[in-house]
Amino acid sequence: MPKSNIVILPIRLSTFAICIGGAIVSGWTFLSSSGNGYLFLVFIALTLLGIYDSLQSKHAILRNYPILGHMRFLLEFIRPEIRQYFIEGDNDKTPFSREQRTLVYSRSKAVADEIPFGTTLDVMAPGYQWINQSLVPTHISTHDFRVEIGGKDCKQKYSASIFNISAMSFGSLSANAILALNLGAKKGGFAHDTGEGSISQYHRIHGGDLIWEIGSGYFGCRNEDGTFNGEKFAQNALDPQVKMVEIKLSQGAKPGHGGILPGPKVTAEIAAARGVKEGESCISPSSHSAFSTPIEMMHFVKHLRDLSGGKPVGFKLCIGHPWEWFGIVKAMLVTNIYPDFIVVDGSEGGTGASPVEFTNHVGTPLQDGLRLVHNTLMGANLRNHIKIGCSGKIISAFDMAVAFALGADWCNSARGFMFSIGCIQAQVCNTGFCPTGVTTQDPQRQKALVVPDKSERVYNFHNETLKRLKELVEAAGLNHPAEIDAPHIVRRISKNEVRLLSFLLPEMPKGLLLKNEGIDPSLNLPRVFELYWHRAQASSFKALDD
């Protein structure tokens, strides 16, 4: 029997065919004066769209599925919202779980944050952690825990809250977001880190304490060629509102990666804050031009401290090559110049925009970086001279407790405070279309963020979190978060095995690195000290060859 030559219309073209048929039928009925002209126009428009889809060469899916293929792009566009509102579990951390976000929202509104019926976490899963409680809990009179920052050469020590707003620049955040954060910090008596975008007019209006971050672009203290300008630095640093100065070496979300703010985004306000020209691209190099060796870096620290009138000066970094960090510590020992503080940024930290390879696979996570910094300072007998801050997905009081156990003196949070002013984790920070006005420079979108209301939520989030931390400290039988140590935290390794954090991440004995006896294997310390401490040098960021 001969094969049929009948060509059957592919199903993938059925939508296009229906639109063509609809256009013909609706056109005929419209011309006969009994049809709806609007329906005819709709089918004509869809037919023209189908013709365009079939002829265009940019999207293969539209050529094969005219009209219908647009549904794929629509579904892809709304996929994050569908997942967040209908599919995501309470403990799916992408990057923050619904439970974490709800915790911040509740505390920001000062409403009940308790959960009924028991934990939703799998307490038998590897990685689950808890703090051991005492049979004799303590009673602490206040939750306003403070830490004094300032070493031997500091003339204006700063009594900081142990929970502060992490670095976020004006430009990345909207003007109203900066206003709300700073007013909340003013009400609560805690610090607001400016981010490397420098001090804008919106940071100054309410007068909240500022930590001025100095990045490689030296915004707010730069010459026209982008190099450091000491006179401009002193003008800002001597402002009483500026309590500390932080040199940014690297950022957890994109360490080793510079940045550029395209010229069209450099508005007059951003240009004024950063000390650049309006409309010209604003570049942050990947490294500093003011120093090129660890020793030069320590002299730069001293220079900034002198220019600021003796205020605390430190630096922030995400740990990378361990010998570079060890070289910095050796430079402290050689020069006898110590930073007043070090902020350790974990690779899990946030950013407005970063290449996915840097976000996912560059830099050391907070746990490992923080413990390395603490242990190195212990081994060099410098820990008593230098305070350590940390940042990286810190949301709850327990997150803070773990950080203290690893060696931190205080904690910073960026996205936690963003949630407090309305962020819904839409993850469109780099588009300018933030739905809540937090990360946009669009004046109309910013109006959605009402400063008096949101500033109160910033204050509440800080206040309620510290109240919960106080309760944790009391339950553990301690008197201050500074007393939380690695033996207080337990981590599950498997269903049948748990370990104290002090066993998994042991502490370096004081002064051990200054001795020439080597490191006793029985101390169970990471091999990084054995492998790289002797190869690090104060005169260079490069490692010595064996």
Side-chain angles (χ1 to χ4, degrees), residues 114 142 385:
E114 297 87 355
T142 179
H385 300 281

Side-chain angles (χ1 to χ4, degrees), residues 146 363 518:
R146 320 292 295 186

Side-chain angles (χ1 to χ4, degrees), residues 89-110:
D90 284 346
N91 295 305
D92 293 342
K93 298 182 179 180
T94 55
F96 288 90
S97 70
R98 185 172 186 82
E99 184 174 279
Q100 288 175 308
R101 301 195 304 273
T102 300
L103 178 70
V104 178
Y105 299 149
S106 298
R107 289 182 177 171
S108 300
K109 298 172 186 176

Side-chain angles (χ1 to χ4, degrees), residues 250 255 317-325 363-364 372:
S250 56
L317 84 167
C318 176
I319 292 294
H321 293 310
W323 59 82
E324 293 177 349
W325 157 242
T364 305
L372 179 65

Side-chain angles (χ1 to χ4, degrees), residues 184-207:
K186 176 72 172 179
K187 292 177 180 178
F190 54 100
H192 179 189
D193 194 312
T194 65
E196 69 172 310
S198 193
I199 307 170
S200 71
Q201 60 177 305
Y202 302 107
H203 287 95
R204 301 183 189 275
I205 290 174
H206 298 300

Side-chain angles (χ1 to χ4, degrees), residues 384-440:
N384 291 338
H385 300 281
I386 301 170
K387 293 296 190 290
I388 300 177
C390 70
S391 53
K393 294 191 77 170
I394 293 175
I395 291 290
S396 70
F398 183 74
D399 296 335
M400 295 178 67
V402 173
F404 294 136
L406 292 170
D409 294 300
W410 85 88
C411 298
N412 295 332
S413 178
R415 289 168 290 180
F417 282 101
M418 285 176 65
F419 291 140
S420 75
I421 58 175
C423 170
I424 60 171
Q425 196 171 273
Q427 295 178 276
V428 292
C429 311
N430 59 328
T431 67
F433 298 119
C434 175
T436 58
V438 177
T439 61
T440 180

Side-chain angles (χ1 to χ4, degrees), residues 115 200 301 462 535:
I115 59 173
S200 71
V301 168
H462 175 269
R535 297 180 59 191

Side-chain angles (χ1 to χ4, degrees), residues 26-39:
S26 61
W28 181 78
T29 55
F30 173 63
L31 292 175
S32 66
S33 302
S34 61
N36 189 324
Y38 292 110
L39 189 62

